[in-house]
Amino acid sequence: MCLGIPGQITEIVDADNLIAKVDVGGVKREVNIACIVDDEHPAKSCVGDWVLVHVGFAMSRLDEEEAARTLALLEELGDMQAELDTMRQMEGQA
C-alpha cells in the first residue's frame, strides 16, 4: 500500500528544477512539484498550496479542509496502531 501525506508548500527552493520546501506535520523537506505545476499554475504560485506528498513528490493539490481531514485520519490510525501494539504486548504477558 502506498501512502501520501498532506503537506503545505512553504517556499520554492529551485523554480527551474521544480523543487519546493513542504511542511509535513512540522517537518520541512524538499519535494519535487513537477506533477502539480502547469502553465496556469506555475511553480512560483504554489507557495501556500496543500499537496499530497509521496516518496519526495507532490502528487496532487488538495484543499486545506481535505488536508485537515486526512491528517486527522492518519493520526487516528497511528493511535489505533499504538493500541493494537499494547494489546499484543499484554497478550504475550498473559
Side-chain angles (χ1 to χ4, degrees):
M1 179 172 114
C2 297
L3 183 65
I5 308 284
Q8 188 172 33
I9 296 176
T10 59
E11 69 178 284
I12 303 302
V13 176
D14 182 346
D16 293 333
N17 291 308
L18 302 175
I19 304 297
K21 189 163 285 186
V22 175
D23 184 328
V24 179
V27 176
K28 292 187 178 180
R29 59 183 300 203
E30 292 184 5
V31 299
N32 185 299
I33 57 171
C35 295
I36 64 159
V37 297
D38 56 33
D39 292 338
E40 294 176 14
H41 198 79
K44 293 186 187 219
S45 69
C46 292
V47 173
D49 285 356
W50 282 90
V51 294
L52 199 57
V53 178
H54 177 65
V55 295
F57 289 85
M59 303 303 289
S60 62
R61 284 190 302 272
L62 58 159
D63 63 39
E64 188 173 0
E65 184 179 310
E66 184 178 359
R69 281 194 313 265
T70 303
L71 288 168
L73 181 59
L74 290 170
E75 187 174 325
E76 285 180 36
L77 289 172
D79 290 345
M80 179 186 294
Q81 185 61 50
E83 284 185 43
L84 289 171
D85 290 345
T86 299
M87 291 172 67
R88 285 186 187 106
Q89 288 174 356
M90 292 173 66
E91 183 178 281
Q93 295 173 1

